[in-house]
Amino acid sequence: MVTITLEPDADAGSLLFTVVIPRARVDGPEREVRLETHGFLTRSRFSRLPTDAQLQTYISVPLRGRATLVDF
């Protein structure tokens, strides 16, 4: 998993994007494999509210792409 901060905000909360990078085997003649995975947008807010509340919400983002073998 890889997470990046899209909107850091010390007062209001934050927006993060996390992508799950699946393991893949790329050694055939095509030197490429198609992947499907998910990313997640996470909105966090701080608990300054006077009542109990959910502090994070999530949006799932389906992702598709290709992994390619690259020689350096």
Side-chain angles (χ1 to χ4, degrees), residues 34-48:
R34 292 185 183 275
L35 300 176
E36 291 187 19
T37 189
H38 281 271
F40 300 92
L41 281 167
T42 303
R43 172 64 73 186
S44 298
R45 59 183 180 163
F46 291 107
S47 60
R48 293 185 311 225

Side-chain angles (χ1 to χ4, degrees), residues 5-55:
T5 302
L6 300 173
E7 292 178 6
D9 190 335
D11 294 326
S14 62
L15 180 63
L16 306 175
F17 185 75
T18 302
V19 62
V20 179
I21 308 292
R23 291 181 64 194
R25 185 172 178 174
V26 185
D27 62 359
E30 301 281 326
R31 298 174 61 100
E32 180 178 284
V33 63
R34 292 185 183 275
L35 300 176
E36 291 187 19
T37 189
H38 281 271
F40 300 92
L41 281 167
T42 303
R43 172 64 73 186
S44 298
R45 59 183 180 163
F46 291 107
S47 60
R48 293 185 311 225
L49 301 174
T51 60
D52 293 336
Q54 179 174 329
L55 300 178

